[in-house]
Amino acid sequence: MKKKRSIAGCIKEFWPATILTPVFVIGEVVFDVLIPTMTGKLLDEGVEAGSMHHIALYGLTVVAMALVALLLGALSGRFTAKASTGLSRNLRREMYANVQKFSFSNIDKYSTGGIITRLTTDVTNVQMAFMMIIRIAVRCPIMLICAWVMTFTINPQLALVFLVVIPVLALGLLFIMTRAHPIFERVFKKYDWMNNVVQENLLGIRVVKSFVREEHEKEKFGKVSKEIYLDFSKAEKILAFNSPLMQLCVAACILTVSWLGAHLIVDGSMTTGQLTSMFSYIMMILMNLMMLSMVVVMIVIARASAERITELLNEESDLQNGPNPIEKVKDGSVVFENVSFSYAKDPSKECLKDVNLTIKSGETVGILGGTGTSKTTLVQLIPRLYDATEGRVLVGGVDVRDYDMEALREQVAMVLQKNVLFSGTIKDNLRWGNKEATDEEMVRVCRLAQADPFIQEFPDKYDTYIEQGGSNVSGGQKQRLCIARALLKKPKILILDDSTSAVDTKTDALIRKAFREEIPETTKFIIAQRISSIEDADKILVMDGGRIAAMGTHAELLQTCDIYREIYESQTKGGSDDE
C-alpha cells in the first residue's frame, strides 16, 4: 500500500531552517524575559538607591540583552521566511507533479478551478499558518510560562490572577475553532466554483460577447461572490469574538494587579521596581496570549486548506503500470475484444457496449456516427486514457494494460476534438511532438498537414508567436498545426478526432493523400462528420448507441447500411429530394 503523503513531508530540504527557527526563538524569549527583571533591579538598586554604579551596570546589561534578543529575533525571522516559502514551493510542486499523473477520470473528479485554488489560496493559507506555528506558536507558550514563573518569583499571590484568565480564553478559542472550521471548509469549495466561473467566462469571452450575455455572466459571478461574502462574514463574526474576549481579559488582569499591587506597596511587601517588573510581565503574558489566539485563528483557516491540499497530494491515478510493463510497441495493429465501457464504472450506464473490432497495422479506419454515439470514447481506449470496464483492448498484440503507459502513448498520437496550442512559437508547439526535431523535420510534417503554406505567409514564419490558446490563428490553421505536431512523433497509430472539420474539402483531401503516400505503415483512425473525409478508408465503422452498427468499405456500406446511405445522400444531395 502506498504511503500517504503529508504536508510535513513537503518540508524536505528546509528541515534545518524549520528546526533553527524555534531554537533562535527560544533564545530570544530567554533574553526578553530577563530584561524586565534587570529593569526592576535598575530601578530598585540603581535609581531608588542613588547608585550610579548599579545604574550603569544594569543599564548596560539591559541594552546588551536587548541587542542579543534583536539579533536572535532577526535570525528567527530569516529562517522562518526560508522554511515557510520553501514549504509552499514544495507543496505547489508536489501537487502539480501529482496532477500530471492523473488519468482523465481523476481530472474529471476535480474541477480546474478547484485545482487552481489549492495551488494558490490554500497553499498561501498553509504557508502563513506554518510560519506562525514555527515562530509565534513556539515563542508564545514559552514566553507565557517563563513570564508567569517570573511573576511567581516577584509575588505568588498576584501570579495566581492569570489562573482565572487562562480557562476563560481556552473556552473562547475552543468555541471559535469548532464553529468557524466548517464554514471555511464550505467557503473554499465555493472559491473553486468562483474560479470555474471566471475561467469559463474568459475562455468563452467571444461567445459571451457574440450572444450579448455579459449581464448574465455578471449575475452568475455576483451570485457565487455573494455566497462567499455571506459565508466569510459569518466566519469573521465568529473570529471577531476573539478580540473583545482578549481585551476583557487584559483589562481585568491590569486592573486587578494594579489594585492589589498598590495595596502591597503601601503595606511595604512590594517595591516600586517589582511592581514595574510585574506590569512588564503582565503585558508579556497578555500580548502573547493575544498572539497565540491569532495563531489559533490562522490554524482554523489553514486547517480546511491543509485538508484540501492533502486530498490532492494523495489522489492516485486509477491508471497504473503493471508490475513488469512492456516498453516496446510491436506494431500499430488494434483489437477490441468484447469491450464495454462506462464513465461511472456502472454496467447499467455503459456508453460502449460489446465492441469487437480487428484492425491490421497500417490500415486506415474511418469512424462515423451521430452526436453521443461514443466515437471519441472508442478511440480514447487505445492510448489508455481510460480503461475498458469489460473486455480488453490490444495494441501490437498486447493488452494496453500491460504496457508502460508512457511507452504506449509515445506510439499513439492523438489529435483531439478541442485543439490546444500553447503560448510560444510555432516551433515550440511543434516540438511537443518531438523535442529533438530539426527544422527540416518540422517543415516536412507541416507540408504533410498542409500547414506550411500559411506558415510561410507569416512575417516570422516558424518563429511566429502563438498567443495563449492559439487565439491569433484560425480554427483550420490550429487543426493543421495540431496534426503536424502529432505526425512529428512518428507514431505507429494516429488518431484524428474530427480534426479536419475546420478545413475545406480540398485541404482535407490533400491531408489524406499525404497520409496514404507518406505514412503508409501508420494505422490511422479518422473520426469525421463528412463522408468525403473517410470514403477511401480501408474500413469504415458506423457507430450507433455505443455499438458498431455496421462496418465495411464505402461501397459496401452504401449497399448494406441504411444509416450510412442516408448520411451520404443528405451530404451529397443536401436532402432536397427527400424534402
Side-chain angles (χ1 to χ4, degrees):
M1 184 177 177
K2 187 178 177 181
K3 186 180 178 182
K4 291 287 184 182
R5 288 191 283 182
S6 64
I7 289 175
C10 291
I11 297 174
K12 294 183 178 178
E13 69 270 31
F14 298 100
W15 271 114
T18 303
I19 294 168
L20 283 172
T21 295
V23 169
F24 287 123
V25 165
I26 292 169
E28 181 189 7
V29 167
V30 169
F31 285 101
D32 281 343
V33 169
L34 290 174
I35 286 173
T37 301
M38 291 296 108
T39 305
K41 290 185 176 183
L42 173 66
L43 290 171
D44 289 339
E45 299 178 26
V47 178
E48 291 286 339
S51 171
M52 289 303 297
H53 170 72
H54 286 96
I55 290 174
L57 175 64
Y58 290 123
L60 290 172
T61 303
V62 168
V63 171
M65 286 181 171
L67 290 173
V68 173
L70 180 64
L71 176 63
L72 292 171
L75 288 171
S76 68
R78 182 174 182 273
F79 284 105
T80 301
K82 185 177 180 180
S84 59
T85 54
L87 171 65
S88 66
R89 185 200 72 178
N90 287 347
L91 281 175
R92 290 191 179 99
R93 188 166 59 188
E94 291 287 328
M95 282 193 288
Y96 193 79
N98 201 39
V99 168
Q100 301 310 304
K101 299 175 186 175
F102 284 1
S103 67
F104 276 22
S105 58
N106 291 115
I107 294 169
D108 294 340
K109 178 180 175 181
Y110 295 94
S111 66
T112 304
I115 293 173
I116 291 171
T117 305
R118 285 169 168 84
L119 285 164
T120 52
T121 305
D122 288 328
V123 170
T124 301
N125 288 339
V126 169
Q127 177 185 340
M128 293 298 294
F130 179 69
M131 183 169 61
M132 288 185 167
I133 287 168
I134 63 173
R135 192 178 187 193
I136 300 174
V138 171
R139 175 190 173 88
C140 291
I142 296 173
M143 182 73 85
L144 284 170
I145 294 168
C146 292
W148 197 40
V149 168
M150 294 304 291
T151 59
F152 260 99
T153 63
I154 296 170
N155 191 292
Q157 290 86 357
L158 290 181
L160 293 174
V161 171
F162 300 106
L163 289 179
V164 179
V165 174
I166 290 172
V168 175
L169 286 173
L171 289 172
L173 291 175
L174 181 63
F175 168 80
I176 291 170
M177 291 178 70
T178 53
R179 293 298 183 90
H181 177 65
I183 299 174
F184 282 113
E185 282 186 320
R186 189 166 66 242
V187 164
F188 290 128
K189 288 179 182 177
K190 288 179 180 176
Y191 261 132
D192 296 346
W193 179 24
M194 184 177 72
N195 282 337
N196 280 331
V197 169
V198 173
Q199 181 191 31
E200 189 177 61
N201 175 268
L202 294 176
L203 290 175
I205 193 66
R206 290 172 176 79
V207 177
V208 172
K209 290 189 175 296
S210 63
F211 282 88
V212 197
R213 296 286 284 175
E214 291 92 343
E215 290 301 319
H216 169 75
E217 288 297 303
K218 283 193 283 187
E219 287 176 13
K220 188 165 68 172
F221 180 81
K223 181 182 177 183
V224 62
S225 183
K226 184 178 179 181
E227 289 189 17
I228 291 173
Y229 158 73
L230 291 173
D231 276 340
F232 252 123
S233 297
K234 189 174 181 180
E236 290 295 338
K237 286 174 185 175
I238 296 172
L239 296 179
F241 175 72
N242 177 60
S243 182
L245 178 64
M246 285 301 308
Q247 289 175 358
L248 176 65
C249 293
V250 168
C253 284
I254 290 175
L255 288 172
T256 304
V257 171
S258 298
W259 187 75
L260 293 174
H263 281 76
L264 292 171
I265 289 175
V266 171
D267 293 341
S269 55
M270 178 181 273
T271 66
T272 305
Q274 287 177 325
L275 183 59
T276 302
S277 298
M278 181 65 77
F279 275 124
S280 296
Y281 288 125
I282 289 171
M283 292 310 299
M284 275 187 187
I285 291 169
L286 296 176
M287 287 301 295
N288 281 279
L289 280 172
M290 291 183 72
M291 291 171 71
L292 195 58
S293 68
M294 289 169 57
V295 174
V296 171
V297 169
M298 191 64 229
I299 290 172
V300 170
I301 296 172
R303 180 183 161 194
S305 292
E307 289 168 355
R308 286 158 51 84
I309 289 171
T310 305
E311 181 186 19
L312 194 65
L313 281 174
N314 289 297
E315 178 73 17
E316 290 187 42
S317 173
D318 56 1
L319 301 180
Q320 300 286 345
N321 286 332
N324 296 297
I326 297 171
E327 298 283 344
K328 188 173 181 180
V329 180
K330 177 182 164 186
D331 56 44
S333 62
V334 178
V335 177
F336 284 73
E337 293 182 353
N338 305 312
V339 171
S340 297
F341 177 77
S342 166
Y343 287 101
K345 308 297 182 185
D346 184 350
S348 65
K349 297 179 180 178
E350 289 178 342
C351 52
L352 275 179
K353 303 168 188 175
D354 197 29
V355 174
N356 286 280
L357 177 65
T358 300
I359 306 298
K360 296 177 183 176
S361 184
E363 285 190 325
T364 299
V365 181
I367 304 176
L368 192 72
T371 303
T373 53
S374 300
K375 304 183 295 296
T376 298
T377 302
L378 178 75
V379 296
Q380 284 181 339
L381 298 180
I382 297 171
R384 205 186 170 198
L385 299 178
Y386 293 97
D387 270 343
T389 308
E390 295 178 19
R392 61 179 188 155
V393 179
L394 289 80
V395 171
V398 176
D399 191 322
V400 291
R401 287 169 288 202
D402 295 332
Y403 280 114
D404 174 81
M405 282 189 289
E406 188 174 332
L408 172 65
R409 291 171 185 170
E410 280 292 333
Q411 297 302 322
V412 181
M414 192 166 185
V415 184
L416 301 169
Q417 280 178 310
K418 294 181 179 179
N419 297 290
V420 177
L421 294 175
F422 297 89
S423 301
T425 64
I426 290 175
K427 285 182 180 178
D428 293 336
N429 275 275
L430 291 173
R431 285 197 172 107
W432 276 66
N434 178 5
K435 62 183 179 181
E436 305 297 334
T438 63
D439 289 353
E440 291 74 19
E441 287 174 321
M442 286 188 279
V443 170
R444 176 180 172 275
V445 294
C446 284
R447 284 174 178 164
L448 292 179
Q450 304 303 308
D452 185 65
F454 76 79
I455 293 174
Q456 295 297 339
E457 293 176 4
F458 294 139
D460 296 324
K461 297 184 170 49
Y462 282 83
D463 290 314
T464 299
Y465 190 82
I466 300 294
E467 302 292 343
Q468 183 180 9
S471 59
N472 59 332
V473 291
S474 70
Q477 290 172 337
K478 191 186 297 184
Q479 284 188 335
R480 282 175 276 175
L481 286 172
C482 289
I483 292 170
R485 181 174 63 189
L487 290 173
L488 206 53
K489 289 181 72 173
K490 299 178 182 176
K492 287 186 168 66
I493 298 172
L494 175 65
I495 299 171
L496 303 179
D497 187 355
D498 203 14
S499 303
T500 57
S501 57
V503 302
D504 58 80
T505 52
K506 180 182 177 182
T507 303
D508 186 14
L510 289 171
I511 292 171
R512 286 184 284 113
K513 180 174 180 289
F515 285 173
R516 285 195 305 272
E517 295 175 355
E518 301 292 337
I519 51 170
E521 296 179 358
T522 299
T523 307
K524 296 165 282 290
F525 289 83
I526 304 173
I527 297 175
Q529 300 298 328
R530 296 189 300 229
I531 285 182
S532 61
S533 297
I534 57 173
E535 62 183 347
D536 56 353
D538 299 304
K539 285 189 178 76
I540 300 173
L541 312 180
V542 180
M543 300 290 296
D544 186 36
R547 299 178 185 273
I548 298 177
M551 179 170 61
T553 63
H554 173 69
E556 290 169 348
L557 291 173
L558 282 176
Q559 298 295 320
T560 60
C561 181
D562 293 338
I563 297 173
Y564 188 83
R565 187 167 55 252
E566 287 174 11
I567 295 171
Y568 177 74
E569 289 175 354
S570 68
Q571 290 183 2
T572 54
K573 300 179 182 179
S576 56
D577 294 344
D578 294 336
E579 295 284 342

